[in-house]
Amino acid sequence: MNYFSSDFKLGILGGGQLGKMVLYNTRKFDIQTLVMDGSNEAPCKIACNEFTLGDLMDYDAVYNFGKQVDVLTIEIENVNVDALETLEKEGIKVYPASKTLKTIQNKAKQKLFYVDNNIPTAPFSRFAYSSEIKEAINHGGLSLPFVWKSAQFGYDGQGVKIVRSIKDLEGLPNVECIAENLIPFKNELAVIVARNVSGDIKSYPVVEMEFHPEANQVEYVICPARIDAEVAEKAEGVALKVSEAFDHVGLLAVEMFQTEEDEILVNEVAPRPHNSGHQTIEASYTSQFEQHLRSILDLPLGRTDSKVGGVMVNLVGAEGYTGNVVYENIETIMGMEGVTPHIYGKQQTRPFRKMGHVTIVNEDLNEARRIAEEVKKSIKVISK
Amino acid sequence: MNYFSSDFKLGILGGGQLGKMVLYNTRKFDIQTLVMDGSNEAPCKIACNEFTLGDLMDYDAVYNFGKQVDVLTIEIENVNVDALETLEKEGIKVYPASKTLKTIQNKAKQKLFYVDNNIPTAPFSRFAYSSEIKEAINHGGLSLPFVWKSAQFGYDGQGVKIVRSIKDLEGLPNVECIAENLIPFKNELAVIVARNVSGDIKSYPVVEMEFHPEANQVEYVICPARIDAEVAEKAEGVALKVSEAFDHVGLLAVEMFQTEEDEILVNEVAPRPHNSGHQTIEASYTSQFEQHLRSILDLPLGRTDSKVGGVMVNLVGAEGYTGNVVYENIETIMGMEGVTPHIYGKQQTRPFRKMGHVTIVNEDLNEARRIAEEVKKSIKVISK
């Protein structure tokens, strides 16, 4: 297939920020794009050739949209997988595959997949309903503390709770879920693996998610991670194994824990461009967004190493502010060395809503990390 | 003015490739954009918030468009300057200023400006009509060879001819023009200077335009130029002087000759993002397109130094092919290290038409230059 011809059409399910950043790269290659999203305010609307308003979970909407394109990809996991399966049978190229998405969409299935494929992950129990958990504890089949995770729709930290006492079980939705051992870890790491249709594989350097010591929230993504070469190699090996197990096409972001004993355990994966790869725009030879396109269009993969050190800071809505967003001190941070803000263009802020990110690049990673802290201290996402 | 508010509107006159690359960066900062262009096929149409079809040389069209925005900029010099002047008087911020554009639009005026401001440039004579040239030669006021340049609309190498004999005068349009001494030069260099509204100035490293030995066409833009530090410093000094003389706001690309005696002579300037700065997307800390926005929005300027060495190759239509474009071997070049194609999305190719560019980045500039040659040898812009 000639991707650089005007007949070729790429479809993207989901019209959010990740899709928008993929779309900028389709323009570089002059690829015709169709996007479907459930909101008429989707950021992608302005950047694609054709926009379709449609429910991503609706079989007919996804099927009818997919029938128009040559290659179909996603920028969010929660789409109607049955429709993707039908489209695949009818010859549309769907990356990631419906089979992969089906496994990833359900956290219990995802965990079982790791076990089946001999991929290290934290021990867990699976429950059809949260209400069964108390009984398991009472019978000694499960011990506190543990991490409760809803099996379905656990997008972006939603549907996760640390359960330290029976009391913490109160208020949990009574859904299919898992209870995962709470593993003390030194670092949370991530590796993005790119694999094209022909099976060529490249992985990005291991990144480190640095947490706020009190808030238990990722504050910085640091590339490359400040860890021993051995640990980095091990993490990369695990990530590659996950990608191969899925027979994955496209990007696969593999989030992992580095335990106190330097074991690597897979936490979860995302089969698309990922928050842990935003710094690749400024820091890497090939951005994750361009790499995703190269992968699904079966083009040669680009270099994944870094030009310079990169640190990414998420811009989230400050606590106590809801309404029309104002980026206080954005001009101040733009005066700092190697700082690029990426504002997502959402009109309304609310506490912890992802409103953008800021990348800081520097030939010296420690200097980038220092400036990132200045950025974090200066900018405030508030409302007017 | 708060540029990061939904009320703020940026207008761009011209909807071509340069504008499109500026627009990608407006999205990063979530700036509302309006674009006017004379063609409904303009590449910017897909990337801006509002597109207006209108003649850029028409007073009313430019005036009415400009009245809607807070800041107005250009991506092509040939726009109605009188309308810009009126808009300035009525409080619209126009960058570059109408006065600057008026001087630059006319090559004779531009040359006189250099003379008036003590900026080194090749000696020249000015003629109201080309027909006056022959007489000047006959009377000994002008000697062969020289470079004939039309004073108006000399965009992109059009309207330039080397005159070596009286016979070469045949067929020249009978318009206002200059005859410039033909200076033998070692290198053609360029420096892009960024200056924001507050007057902060930063310049990009000197780049070298490497010519094809026979075709006398720029083949590679190389950043940084492979020249002595002294010469680079001199070129940078001249470029800064030009920017200050114009009291310029925005980007100013200053093209210069390095003579056999290592003198620096200004050839011409472009008050906007420029072909000699395309490699900044991949090679520099701040791309020229982001920097243009930072300048005209009076934001702090970004770092202008390079992360890695960069070489740019223009993709022009091959001789002998006119029609629906095909990029032969584009997959081959994408398999080479650090290669990013930028396809402009024009449907039709014709000989020498600018269809895109390719950037090659590498930590070793010589390696980038070597790969650039491979790229040049491999890719062919032909028709099917």
Side-chain angles (χ1 to χ4, degrees):
Chain A
M1 198 179 312
N2 183 3
Y3 302 110
F4 298 95
S5 99
S6 54
D7 311 329
F8 176 78
K9 281 178 179 167
L10 172 68
I12 305 180
L13 290 168
Q17 277 312 310
L18 296 172
K20 199 174 82 170
M21 292 188 268
V22 170
L23 284 172
Y24 292 161
N25 286 282
T26 63
R27 302 260 65 88
K28 215 154 64 172
F29 300 157
D30 191 36
I31 288 165
Q32 301 289 307
T33 49
L34 282 74
V35 169
M36 184 167 93
D37 193 272
S39 163
N40 242 328
E41 315 266 285
C44 282
K45 207 177 164 183
I46 197 186
C48 64
N49 294 85
E50 255 180 69
F51 179 79
T52 304
L53 186 67
D55 182 353
L56 297 173
M57 292 306 292
D58 183 75
Y59 180 94
D60 290 332
V62 171
Y63 175 79
N64 291 327
F65 175 77
K67 278 305 273 184
Q68 307 171 73
V69 304
D70 300 289
V71 172
L72 185 61
T73 189
I74 54 142
E75 63 108 46
I76 184 167
E77 288 90 316
N78 294 321
V79 299
N80 189 296
V81 177
D82 294 332
L84 296 186
E85 220 175 322
T86 311
L87 289 166
E88 281 167 345
K89 279 180 196 145
E90 296 181 5
I92 310 295
K93 289 173 179 166
V94 181
Y95 307 121
S98 62
K99 202 180 143 201
T100 305
L101 274 178
K102 216 171 221 167
T103 305
I104 291 173
Q105 276 185 351
N106 184 296
K107 280 200 182 155
K109 273 200 193 127
Q110 197 185 135
K111 291 286 283 189
L112 290 170
F113 179 85
Y114 300 142
V115 174
D116 288 349
N117 286 277
N118 224 356
I119 289 160
T121 191
F124 70 103
S125 308
R126 185 185 184 179
F127 298 94
Y129 298 97
S130 301
S131 56
E132 295 170 6
I133 292 178
K134 209 185 247 179
E135 210 180 330
I137 296 172
N138 290 338
H139 288 80
L142 184 65
S143 51
L144 294 161
F146 60 83
V147 185
W148 173 90
K149 292 181 179 176
S150 153
Q152 300 280 3
F153 289 85
Y155 190 63
D156 236 5
Q158 301 280 337
V160 175
K161 189 179 181 182
I162 297 179
V163 177
R164 298 185 190 277
S165 67
I166 296 283
K167 228 184 148 208
D168 289 339
L169 291 170
E170 280 169 27
L172 286 182
N174 197 22
V175 292
E176 185 190 355
C177 60
I178 60 169
E180 197 178 65
N181 286 16
L182 184 64
I183 307 274
F185 57 86
K186 274 189 208 168
N187 283 307
E188 195 160 337
L189 307 174
V191 171
I192 293 179
V193 181
R195 192 162 169 279
N196 70 10
V197 183
S198 299
D200 297 334
I201 291 195
K202 280 190 184 178
S203 63
Y204 281 89
V206 183
V207 301
E208 170 191 350
M209 271 95 101
E210 192 183 331
F211 279 69
H212 187 281
E214 286 139 41
N216 199 36
Q217 220 194 355
V218 177
E219 277 206 292
Y220 307 103
V221 172
I222 297 168
C223 179
R226 298 160 301 177
I227 52 171
D228 289 347
E230 264 171 67
V231 176
E233 212 175 297
K234 204 195 267 183
E236 204 188 298
V238 169
L240 288 170
K241 196 173 171 183
V242 177
S243 167
E244 276 162 34
F246 276 118
D247 204 16
H248 192 69
V249 172
L251 294 190
L252 191 73
V254 184
E255 293 186 62
M256 292 166 279
F257 298 119
Q258 174 190 0
T259 68
E260 302 284 0
E261 295 77 29
D262 287 343
E263 253 193 301
I264 296 291
L265 300 176
V266 171
N267 178 20
E268 58 180 31
V269 301
R272 50 166 172 80
H274 189 249
N275 196 256
S276 67
H278 284 343
Q279 75 291 338
T280 59
I281 299 173
E282 287 87 3
S284 305
Y285 273 93
T286 313
S287 84
Q288 64 167 343
F289 303 101
E290 178 176 332
Q291 198 76 291
H292 183 67
L293 283 174
R294 286 178 178 244
S295 306
I296 63 174
L297 301 181
D298 204 21
L299 293 166
L301 298 176
R303 285 177 68 169
T304 49
D305 51 338
S306 299
K307 294 170 190 167
V308 285
V311 177
M312 195 275 290
V313 175
N314 280 318
L315 283 186
V316 297
E319 276 188 280
Y321 294 92
T322 299
N324 289 331
V325 66
V326 176
Y327 300 93
E328 201 175 77
N329 297 328
I330 189 156
E331 306 202 2
T332 311
I333 69 161
M334 287 182 75
M336 298 174 186
E337 285 221 334
V339 170
T340 307
H342 292 260
I343 304 299
Y344 295 166
K346 299 172 183 173
Q347 295 302 311
Q348 303 285 314
T349 184
R350 54 173 186 263
F352 306 113
R353 187 176 192 198
K354 264 193 205 166
M355 301 298 288
H357 73 266
V358 180
T359 310
I360 302 96
V361 285
N362 200 288
E363 44 281 33
D364 174 0
L365 182 64
N366 292 323
E367 179 65 4
R369 174 63 186 74
R370 191 193 63 73
I371 296 170
E373 202 163 324
E374 291 298 308
V375 166
K376 188 98 187 165
K377 276 184 199 154
S378 305
I379 194 160
K380 290 211 162 39
V381 183
I382 58 174
S383 55
K384 58 185 164 192
Chain B
M1 198 178 312
N2 183 2
Y3 303 111
F4 298 95
S5 100
S6 54
D7 310 328
F8 176 78
K9 281 177 179 170
L10 171 68
I12 304 180
L13 290 169
Q17 278 311 311
L18 296 171
K20 198 173 85 171
M21 292 188 267
V22 170
L23 284 172
Y24 292 161
N25 287 282
T26 64
R27 303 260 65 86
K28 213 155 65 174
F29 300 156
D30 190 36
I31 289 166
Q32 301 290 306
T33 49
L34 282 73
V35 170
M36 184 167 93
D37 194 272
S39 163
N40 241 329
E41 314 266 284
C44 282
K45 207 176 164 184
I46 197 186
C48 65
N49 295 85
E50 254 180 70
F51 179 79
T52 303
L53 185 66
D55 181 353
L56 297 174
M57 292 307 291
D58 182 75
Y59 180 94
D60 290 332
V62 171
Y63 174 79
N64 291 328
F65 175 76
K67 278 304 271 184
Q68 307 171 74
V69 304
D70 299 290
V71 172
L72 185 61
T73 190
I74 54 142
E75 64 108 46
I76 184 168
E77 288 90 316
N78 296 320
V79 300
N80 188 297
V81 176
D82 294 332
L84 296 185
E85 219 175 325
T86 311
L87 289 165
E88 281 167 346
K89 280 181 197 145
E90 296 180 5
I92 308 294
K93 287 171 180 167
V94 181
Y95 307 120
S98 61
K99 201 181 143 201
T100 306
L101 274 177
K102 216 170 222 170
T103 304
I104 291 173
Q105 276 185 350
N106 184 296
K107 281 200 181 155
K109 274 201 192 125
Q110 198 186 132
K111 291 286 283 190
L112 289 171
F113 179 85
Y114 300 141
V115 174
D116 289 347
N117 285 277
N118 223 355
I119 289 160
T121 191
F124 70 102
S125 308
R126 184 184 185 180
F127 298 95
Y129 297 98
S130 302
S131 56
E132 296 172 4
I133 293 178
K134 208 184 245 178
E135 208 179 333
I137 297 173
N138 289 338
H139 288 81
L142 184 65
S143 51
L144 294 162
F146 61 83
V147 185
W148 173 90
K149 291 180 179 177
S150 153
Q152 300 279 4
F153 288 83
Y155 190 63
D156 237 6
Q158 300 282 339
V160 175
K161 191 180 182 182
I162 297 181
V163 177
R164 297 186 191 276
S165 67
I166 295 284
K167 223 180 155 218
D168 288 339
L169 292 170
E170 278 170 29
L172 286 182
N174 197 22
V175 293
E176 186 191 355
C177 60
I178 59 170
E180 197 177 64
N181 286 16
L182 184 64
I183 308 275
F185 58 86
K186 274 190 208 169
N187 283 307
E188 196 161 336
L189 307 174
V191 171
I192 293 179
V193 181
R195 192 162 170 280
N196 70 9
V197 183
S198 298
D200 297 334
I201 291 195
K202 281 190 183 178
S203 63
Y204 281 89
V206 183
V207 301
E208 170 191 351
M209 270 94 101
E210 192 183 332
F211 280 69
H212 187 281
E214 286 139 42
N216 198 38
Q217 220 195 356
V218 178
E219 278 205 292
Y220 307 103
V221 171
I222 298 167
C223 178
R226 299 161 300 178
I227 52 172
D228 290 347
E230 264 171 68
V231 177
E233 212 175 299
K234 204 194 267 184
E236 203 187 299
V238 169
L240 288 171
K241 195 173 171 183
V242 178
S243 167
E244 276 162 36
F246 276 117
D247 205 15
H248 192 69
V249 173
L251 294 190
L252 190 74
V254 184
E255 292 186 63
M256 293 166 280
F257 298 120
Q258 174 190 0
T259 68
E260 302 285 0
E261 295 78 28
D262 287 343
E263 254 194 302
I264 296 292
L265 300 177
V266 171
N267 179 21
E268 59 180 29
V269 301
R272 49 164 173 82
H274 189 248
N275 196 256
S276 66
H278 285 343
Q279 75 290 338
T280 59
I281 300 173
E282 286 87 3
S284 306
Y285 273 92
T286 313
S287 84
Q288 65 167 342
F289 303 101
E290 178 176 332
Q291 198 76 290
H292 183 66
L293 283 175
R294 286 178 178 244
S295 306
I296 63 174
L297 301 181
D298 204 21
L299 293 166
L301 299 176
R303 284 179 67 171
T304 49
D305 50 338
S306 300
K307 294 170 189 167
V308 286
V311 177
M312 195 276 289
V313 176
N314 280 319
L315 283 186
V316 297
E319 275 188 281
Y321 294 92
T322 299
N324 289 330
V325 66
V326 176
Y327 300 92
E328 201 175 77
N329 297 329
I330 189 157
E331 306 202 1
T332 312
I333 69 161
M334 286 181 76
M336 298 175 186
E337 286 222 331
V339 170
T340 307
H342 292 259
I343 304 299
Y344 295 165
K346 299 173 183 172
Q347 295 303 311
Q348 302 285 314
T349 185
R350 55 173 187 263
F352 305 112
R353 187 175 192 199
K354 264 193 206 168
M355 301 298 287
H357 73 266
V358 180
T359 310
I360 301 95
V361 285
N362 200 287
E363 45 280 34
D364 174 358
L365 183 64
N366 293 322
E367 179 64 5
R369 173 63 185 76
R370 191 193 63 72
I371 295 169
E373 201 163 324
E374 291 297 309
V375 166
K376 188 98 187 166
K377 276 185 199 155
S378 304
I379 193 160
K380 289 211 162 42
V381 183
I382 58 174
S383 56
K384 59 184 165 193

